[in-house]
Amino acid sequence: MYCYRKVTDDYYWVGANDHRLSLFENIYPIPRGISYNSYVLLDKKTVLFDTVDWAVSKQFIENVKAVLNGRDLDYMVINHMEPDHCANIEEILLRFPNVKIISTEKAILFMHQFGFPIDGKTQIVKEGDTMNFGKHTVTFVSAPMVHWPEAMVTFDAKSGVLFSADAFGTFGALDGKLFNDEVNFDRDWLDDARRYYTNIVGKYGPHVQSLLKKAGGLDIKYICPLHGPVWRSNLAYFLDKYDKWSSYTPEEKGVMIAYASMYGDTESAAQILAAKLAEIGVTNTVLHDVSNTDVSYLISDTFKYSNIVLASVTYNLGIYPPMLDFLNDMKALNVQKRAVGIIENGSWACTSGTLMRKFLDDMKQMTVLDEQVTMASALNESALNDVDALAGRIKESMELDLTK
Amino acid sequence: MMYKLTPAQEDFRLKVREFAESEVKPIAFMLDQENKFPDEIMAKMKKLGLMGIPYDKKYGGAGLDTLSYAIAVEELSRIDGGTGVILSAHTSLGTWPILKYGNEKQKEKYLKPLAAGEKLGAFGLTEPNAGSDAGGTETTAVLEGDHYILNGGKIFITNGGKADTYIIFAVTTPDIGTKGISAFIVENGWDGFTFGDHYDKMGIRSSQTSELIFNDVKVPKENLLGKEGEGFKIAMSTLDGGRIGIASQALGIAQGAYEQALEYSKERIQFGKPICQQQIIAFKLADMATKLRAARFLVYSAAELKDNHENYSCEAAMAKQYTSDVCLEIVNDALQIFGGNGYLKGMEIERAYRDAKICTIYEGTNEIQRVVIASHIIGKMPKNEATVKRSHMPITGVRKKMILKDKDGTIEERVNKLVEALKGDGYDFSVGIDINTPIIDAERVVSAGKGIGSKENMKLIEDLAKAVGAAVGSSRPVAETLKYVPLNRYVGMSGQKFRGNLYIACGISGAIQHLKGIKEASTIVAINNNPNAKIFKNADYGIVGDLKDVLPVLTAALDNGPKKPAPPMKKIKRAIPVKEAPRFKHYVCDGCGYEYDPEIGDPDNEIYPVTVFDNLPEDWVCPECGEGKDQFIES
């Protein structure tokens, strides 16, 4: 049975939710599920904006057919060619053989690569091109590397509707609600939205900044992303988050302590540091065990907080593998402009601190504090003084503006 | 081809040899012992026409060839290596660039008196961070109207202080490496041009080697040598010729040592016969003679090539490198032949042994000579290995650099500002330590540099130390050369390291080795009359002014009677060193997200490190996805 919702004027949401997928992109845990959004415009012409993942095809086709209510489909606008959105291209072509696909040149190349039979059914658009469907005229705006090169966004100036592709999306199934004002976004969704953005788009900050500049010139009333709620109020709230994330500006002055501990001694040092921080008034802190926290959550908090502490044991004369994995992800995602404290542990040849420091030095504008805690197996009295010194220095460094 | 000198060249050799034997030899030991420049000998060399040997008579020179010049340096060095290098630096480095790159006006004004020996010349390229790699030059020349304003300094300059004119290399366009360097003719005596240390050297002690300091020196536009940006080319071609001079110097030192050893070995009897008849000594002498002959041919051949206007860069490098390398072997063998006698002060061989070493170091180390030679036989090496990352971070790390100059008020006002700032940082001047506390244990140190002047001024340092509650320290020359304080009180990498809180450097210019010894200090205060002194770039606070004016005021401001004993030291925290943004703008590809980092370049596509994005060729494409340059956005 169909399940669609009206967005505004002649636009309808025809997407679907998935609670069965455990790993999005086969990497990221999604305990709250995911929604695949697709939209239909009923005008003089009928237009489908993107499709959905294969997993929810049945629901999607029922929704599209119900909204069209017997009309043929004239156009399919493909903003983004990632298979969680384009998987149903062929299904649509089979059901609506007269449909014309509108997309960028690169996206059409990708369609060929993925093996869709689209010959003779495509129309290439580029930056600034417009298309009239009757009452509604849309403009196509390229959005390269947000987060794929072929991506574009589509804007209807009359209704103020922006189809933003993967931008402004989030993990989490909609489960009946569609709009941001139907949920408590800040309480229930922001963490997932941040985890989605930082892990999937985080590397491409400059490209997102460039898209935000373009969007700044448009009178946007609705943001229709490919995942998560449709935004129709308080747009400035979410745009501000995007501006911060894409410029690598922390959302909050606070400390994320990530520790890698084999038998609890390094964990204990991390706990002691957090306690010392609290004693000197730094309470906006979170502690993560890198061994049992998915790295996507670590990355998300790295973007959120101004300060990071990495506490790691030495393993095979190197950095403990889950910690190294976190560091590699940080570098790959272009993390920058943070102040970092280091705690190292090693029972015979302690190398992790030096190696983590070197790793961070190769990243952009990562200020590594000189005050380092070195533990031989477990914290002792003299190293305890170093924890105090580190805590004091972290507090001082929170006052620095590292974003210049 | 007979490989023989012409009768004229032989006559010239005899003339210089006779001069060296009769005039230089009798005083050579005294010059060495007293670190004394031979002013009278210079005057006599002028009379003999030795100061412009290879230059045209119309410019005041002797009109002889380069080979004769090489012979003169060789013959002087055969007696005294120091005197030899004075002539070499004057002729090859201080004079030749004006002949080659100067305009007629510059030749008239500067070349003539130099070639005639009325003036002495010198050449300033080396800096603390620019030796073999001229791209690290930090001295700057900024054009303001009709003048360039020269700031910075040079080190290890032969004839420094004695010379009348200096060929100085300075950056006129920053951040583009060697292409941004220009050459200038700078006169001794101009405002702001002063001399630092006259170095206390191991050898060639009759030559004067000094530090040059430029502090807002106004250099008239017409003293630009060649064009802007040609400095590196001028320096390199000048050094090509200079190498013939240094090769001749090494040849002369080795020749002198060999001759003395040969003579001694004939006189010294052991086991019933002269040691030269012992095979082991005979073979040594044979090897020495062979090396000398090979070296001599290399040197003379390079000189001949130069006179015949053929390429001689590679051959001059070979001559310099080989001759100075074998010179070390020859003086070593010669001293060995002398045995214990050769090890005594006053022995010419002992002096030759010390003089020889510099020849493998200056005017291009022998390592650089091999780079030059290799580049001629292999071609230029690609620059893809070392990325030219220059740290702009001072040696002592992040410092506050609050430097109070004349415009910031009277001395009293500036001293008060300093004292307030120190108190604000947590310094309690009611407590103190003994002025004789070992440097390594001291929480505070007041140190004297050479700017302190005469010994009685040390009283100012001691008074200040007592007022601050600090121990007394010094720079290396103050302990080692001036001997104002015991050797165990000088601070630096080679001396005592200061790990305490407050370090007050008085009249210390900031040599690298000194700065490395104080980098752990929580607070560095500098007092110096040279606003360009490197110490200020490495200090938290500074007062520009004369020590005799500033120190008594500072002492009075801090003196609050007898100090209570200081509690155990608590390290005062320094500013957090924030990692800077990259030096050059990065660009990212719209086609794949590849990030172009100018610091690294794109070596696979022959884009060398430190190529800014705008300078990439128009047909350069993204190495990952093939998008064009226009598909990149600023990161």
Side-chain angles (χ1 to χ4, degrees), chain B residues 452-466:
Chain B
I452 192 67
S454 56
K455 186 162 189 188
E456 63 261 24
N457 293 337
M458 280 305 286
K459 177 85 170 63
L460 297 174
I461 298 292
E462 282 160 25
D463 289 347
L464 178 60
K466 281 175 195 155

Side-chain angles (χ1 to χ4, degrees), chain A residues 106 361 363-364 367 393, chain B residues 574 579 589-591 595 627:
Chain A
K106 248 185 201 154
D361 274 346
M363 292 168 65
K364 284 182 209 149
T367 292
R393 209 54 161 172
Chain B
R574 291 169 50 183
K579 184 152 166 216
C589 176
D590 266 353
E595 183 163 350
E627 287 286 359

Side-chain angles (χ1 to χ4, degrees), chain A residues 106 144-145 149 203-204 206-207 210 334 360-361 363-367 369-370 393 396-397 400 402, chain B residues 573-582 586 588-595 625 627 633-635:
Chain A
K106 248 185 201 154
M145 294 324 293
K203 172 179 168 62
Y204 306 106
H207 297 94
S210 154
N334 210 7
L360 292 159
D361 274 346
M363 292 168 65
K364 284 182 209 149
Q365 289 177 267
M366 294 295 266
T367 292
L369 302 177
D370 288 335
R393 209 54 161 172
E396 268 179 68
S397 70
L400 297 172
L402 303 176
Chain B
K573 277 187 188 151
R574 291 169 50 183
I576 295 169
V578 172
K579 184 152 166 216
E580 291 170 5
H586 290 204
V588 285
C589 176
D590 266 353
C592 65
Y594 161 84
E595 183 163 350
C625 75
E627 287 286 359
I633 60 168
E634 204 180 304
S635 170

Side-chain angles (χ1 to χ4, degrees), chain B residues 12 20 38 59 66 71 90 102 181 307 352 447 481 501 603 620:
Chain B
F12 182 74
Y59 293 123
T66 305
I71 289 167
H90 163 80
I181 298 173
D307 275 332
S447 260
T481 315
N501 285 327
W620 179 83

